[in-house]
Amino acid sequence: MEMEMQAVNEGEQERDWAYLPPDMLNHIAKCLGEIFDFVRFRAVCHAWRTSTPITDLPTQFPWILENREHYPPDPNLRFYSLPFNKTYTIPAPRSLDKKYLLGPYSNGYMTTVSQQNHRPVSILNPLTNHEIYLSACPSVCDHHWIGPRQNQRGEHVVICYGRSCSKRPILVFCHPGQSKWHKLKLGSAYKNCRHFYLRVACFSVYRFALELQRLQISLMVFITLAYAVPPPCKDYWTKCSDVHLVEDSLGDILRVTNVQIRFNVYRLDVGNKNGSSPCWVKVSDIGNQAIFIDMDGTFVLKAGELSQIERNSIYLLETVYGGKRIPPSYNAWRTEIDTCKSERLQCPLKEPESWFVPNLHHL
């Protein structure tokens, strides 16, 4: 018996774990649901690191990012992971000392705007400190966002919306790697619109007419493809701020309306079949997907890629403003689309504001 145990121990000592088959290493890496476990796994040795490139990082459940708008800004970024019930405190890069942090956040990157007069813009991955600098925004803009928000690779673009010198709405955008901003002057009808960037298209929802316009954006050319889509009857009086547009994993456009955490979900039927007009079709099941909503926008993730995501659900980060003397309240919810049942999500952050999908690759 002692000889057998000695032989086993000698066999274990001779085993070189650095030379595990690459297929086995890839399988193990894909089972690591937490991003820091993936980083530790790759840090074991050179062979493990080369066998599991950064691009093999499994899809991550979105973190919740704490509000950082206070002055002076917090020197740290605070995130919370719902499935692992962990709070992550990450030192903010020095480049954020004199910058505003703006959402929404796309594929691990966030938009920053300098507090200096010429207000240069950049996009930053806070986990890798990789920053892409853009030139100064050519107009005074009220809203900034980066797209696409989905957790996937694609053609990213930073879009800013504001007013021109003539007080007319203006839309400017710039792709990473380009120093020049492209400008599109909008008509006066766009003064009271909300805008949504969905891959290579920007949709605008009128506040009063509740129509939908589509402005397709290419790298260098503006192509206007505008068509009106009447709102669903039940949503005719829904406030514009409670309307969300998002593209799902199948490429369909979804309209989500939120009234006191009760959601209606519609799919856009573009029509053109037998002369039919575009319309919204109400749905109660979006399949193996989940919708994430915050103040900055909306995105969809496949529940099949993450066991922690509940399918056919809406995850909401809600900020409720009570007035000048009443501080805002922050809530996190999950709602089942088919049953309308809602549950409050526990979050230790004082001011949970935005969803952030962590990633380690560079654009």
Side-chain angles (χ1 to χ4, degrees):
M1 184 67 179
E2 293 180 358
M3 294 179 62
E4 292 180 359
M5 292 296 297
Q6 184 178 359
V8 171
N9 292 334
E10 290 178 356
E12 289 181 353
Q13 291 175 0
E14 294 176 358
R15 179 178 298 170
D16 192 344
W17 292 95
Y19 291 97
L20 288 176
D23 292 343
M24 182 181 294
L25 292 173
N26 289 332
H27 177 74
I28 296 174
K30 291 179 180 179
C31 295
L32 301 175
E34 188 179 14
I35 189 171
F36 293 113
D37 288 339
F38 182 83
V39 173
R40 296 184 189 102
F41 179 85
R42 296 184 73 249
V44 170
C45 63
H46 177 73
W48 287 28
R49 184 164 55 254
T50 55
S51 299
T52 53
I54 291 295
T55 53
D56 288 348
L57 174 70
T59 303
Q60 299 292 300
F61 192 100
W63 290 350
I64 299 177
L65 173 62
E66 189 172 43
N67 183 16
R68 195 175 176 269
E69 292 183 352
H70 302 289
Y71 188 84
D74 195 303
N76 297 314
L77 297 174
R78 289 187 175 84
F79 302 91
Y80 176 69
S81 173
L82 278 168
F84 297 101
N85 190 25
K86 289 184 178 180
T87 301
Y88 305 114
T89 301
I90 300 176
R94 267 190 186 177
S95 59
L96 283 182
D97 290 347
K98 296 182 179 180
K99 291 182 178 180
Y100 297 105
L101 199 58
L102 305 171
Y105 310 117
S106 171
N107 210 9
Y109 279 79
M110 49 185 60
T111 313
T112 71
V113 177
S114 174
Q115 300 177 21
Q116 301 174 7
N117 293 331
H118 56 288
R119 298 173 67 85
V121 179
S122 69
I123 56 177
L124 168 72
N125 186 330
L127 301 187
T128 64
N129 287 347
H130 181 244
E131 190 166 12
I132 301 175
Y133 293 91
L134 306 175
S135 59
C137 188
S139 62
V140 178
C141 296
D142 303 321
H143 306 285
H144 304 72
W145 69 100
I146 177 176
R149 283 203 73 182
Q150 290 89 342
N151 183 30
Q152 61 187 21
R153 288 185 177 274
E155 185 182 42
H156 279 67
V157 60
V158 178
I159 304 177
C160 303
Y161 171 79
R163 301 291 176 87
S164 62
C165 296
S166 60
K167 303 300 182 181
R168 287 181 175 271
I170 187 171
L171 191 71
V172 295
F173 69 94
C174 184
H175 295 268
Q178 294 183 338
S179 58
K180 181 180 179 181
W181 288 82
H182 305 282
K183 185 182 300 185
L184 177 63
K185 293 183 179 180
L186 305 176
S188 58
Y190 286 86
K191 287 184 178 179
N192 299 308
C193 290
R194 288 190 72 204
H195 301 275
F196 301 88
Y197 176 80
L198 307 180
R199 295 200 181 177
V200 296
C202 182
F203 289 79
S204 301
V205 178
Y206 284 83
R207 183 177 181 181
F208 300 109
L210 288 176
E211 296 177 334
L212 181 144
Q213 297 285 331
R214 177 179 178 182
L215 301 172
Q216 184 150 345
I217 299 175
S218 63
L219 279 173
M220 300 296 294
V221 183
F222 297 101
I223 305 174
T224 304
L225 300 174
Y227 57 92
V229 181
C233 295
K234 293 183 180 180
D235 290 342
Y236 186 79
W237 298 108
T238 302
K239 294 188 300 182
C240 184
S241 59
D242 294 326
V243 177
H244 309 274
L245 296 182
V246 64
E247 183 176 4
D248 68 7
S249 60
L250 301 177
D252 292 328
I253 305 301
L254 301 179
R255 174 191 177 110
V256 185
T257 56
N258 174 23
V259 181
Q260 296 180 350
I261 323 178
R262 294 185 63 87
F263 295 93
N264 292 320
V265 181
Y266 303 88
R267 177 180 54 81
L268 177 61
D269 185 348
V270 296
N272 298 327
K273 296 180 180 179
N274 300 324
S276 59
S277 301
C279 64
W280 297 104
V281 179
K282 190 172 183 178
V283 296
S284 59
D285 194 334
I286 60 172
N288 200 28
Q289 303 179 110
I291 301 174
F292 290 80
I293 300 176
D294 57 28
M295 288 190 63
D296 296 313
T298 313
F299 62 95
V300 172
L301 289 180
K302 291 183 179 180
E305 297 178 353
L306 282 169
S307 59
Q308 303 95 340
I309 293 182
E310 297 290 340
R311 68 175 300 278
N312 199 37
S313 297
I314 294 178
Y315 291 82
L316 170 70
L317 293 181
E318 181 186 43
T319 303
V320 181
Y321 295 96
K324 294 183 178 180
R325 298 183 179 180
I326 303 177
S329 61
Y330 299 84
N331 304 299
W333 302 87
R334 185 186 72 86
T335 301
E336 298 176 359
I337 296 177
D338 52 351
T339 63
C340 296
K341 293 182 179 179
S342 298
E343 63 170 338
R344 186 185 294 273
L345 303 176
Q346 299 300 322
C347 179
L349 301 180
K350 293 182 179 179
E351 299 181 1
E353 183 184 45
S354 302
W355 296 109
F356 176 81
V357 180
N359 215 319
L360 298 174
H361 78 266
H362 290 171
L363 294 180

